[in-house]
Amino acid sequence: MKPTIYFILAAVSILFSQCSGKEEPKIDFDKASIQLMSELEPQLVDTWKMQKVQINYQPDNYYQKKIPLNRDTTFQDFAILTVESASPARTSPRDLRRGEYNGTLQFRNKTYPIQFDLLANSEWLIDKKGPQASFTFSFNFPPGLRLTESEEEFLNNIGLMNDGYSLNLSADQRTMIWQGYNRGVERIDLKKL
């Protein structure tokens, strides 16, 4: 009797595993990433105003204490960001799954070179939900010694630089939102100029 029960259970489990409903489409993540990066590039390359930068106060954040920042703060009309495709590419051969960008950040009458590399968000590739990509935003100074300016130090201390962000470009391609991951910047609202 026992072998018959095992046989029936095995047959039923095979039957149910094959009748599990509609099959999910297979996604080629490399191909989907390349497609997303090619769509984002013409939308991102432009001049953007950082209209609103929201900073979360973190009482144990050493850098915020240097400002000093002692409460949640929102900066209006913070800076101007110019974005262009990185040339030459930072990878050889160029990795088309990544979006490589350079540009400038104009803050308090100073202009600083910046860079970031976009990586596609898997949730966006699967369901077209959530942010399209993530990246780390950093300065792009040429190699060598240089003095750090007070404006540059301020950008570091509030957590704007060398932090990870998610990027969500609006459907009309005129605005985008960056959500910060780690160092105090909660959100940046940007608008094309």
Side-chain angles (χ1 to χ4, degrees):
M1 175 102 176
K2 284 186 181 181
T4 306
I5 291 174
Y6 291 128
F7 176 76
I8 293 172
L9 287 175
V12 168
S13 67
I14 290 171
L15 178 66
F16 280 122
S17 69
Q18 292 181 0
C19 298
S20 62
K22 70 177 189 177
E23 195 170 306
E24 292 294 319
K26 302 268 188 229
I27 295 175
D28 181 338
F29 283 97
D30 287 342
K31 187 175 179 180
S33 294
I34 292 168
Q35 176 66 32
L36 176 62
M37 292 304 130
S38 70
E39 292 170 4
L40 289 178
E41 183 174 5
Q43 300 169 25
L44 288 174
V45 173
D46 212 323
T47 302
W48 298 83
K49 178 188 265 188
M50 289 185 168
Q51 283 189 303
K52 188 175 6 174
V53 177
Q54 297 174 329
I55 311 293
N56 281 342
Y57 171 61
Q58 299 171 330
D60 297 328
N61 185 320
Y62 168 78
Y63 296 100
Q64 285 184 353
K65 289 178 182 176
K66 291 172 77 174
I67 299 173
L69 188 70
N70 55 15
R71 61 184 163 82
D72 290 352
T73 303
T74 300
F75 296 102
Q76 300 288 339
D77 298 328
F78 185 73
I80 303 295
L81 174 68
T82 303
V83 178
E84 55 194 40
S85 296
S87 181
R90 285 190 271 280
T91 56
S92 181
R94 184 178 197 109
D95 184 352
L96 299 177
R97 298 169 301 172
R98 297 174 13 169
E100 298 179 355
Y101 297 94
N102 291 334
T104 59
L105 182 68
Q106 192 176 1
F107 175 72
R108 292 186 185 164
N109 298 320
K110 303 278 183 155
T111 302
Y112 298 104
I114 58 90
Q115 69 178 19
F116 60 96
D117 292 355
L118 294 182
L119 297 173
N121 179 344
S122 59
E123 185 180 6
W124 180 265
L125 297 179
I126 295 168
D127 296 327
K128 303 292 188 245
K129 293 180 182 174
Q132 289 104 334
S134 60
F135 62 97
T136 299
F137 189 64
S138 61
F139 289 118
N140 188 20
F141 294 114
L145 297 175
R146 50 179 301 283
L147 294 175
T148 302
E149 298 176 344
S150 60
E151 294 84 0
E152 177 187 341
E153 188 173 0
F154 178 80
L155 294 171
N156 273 318
N157 289 342
I158 64 169
L160 181 71
M161 306 310 294
N162 302 314
D163 196 11
Y165 295 90
S166 65
L167 176 145
N168 195 345
L169 193 63
S170 66
D172 69 2
Q173 303 170 13
R174 302 292 308 156
T175 61
M176 71 175 152
I177 295 171
W178 294 1
Q179 293 286 145
Y181 289 143
N182 300 314
R183 296 187 48 225
V185 175
E186 179 182 343
R187 176 180 165 131
I188 303 173
D189 292 48
L190 299 99
K191 182 176 183 176
K192 276 189 183 179
L193 289 178

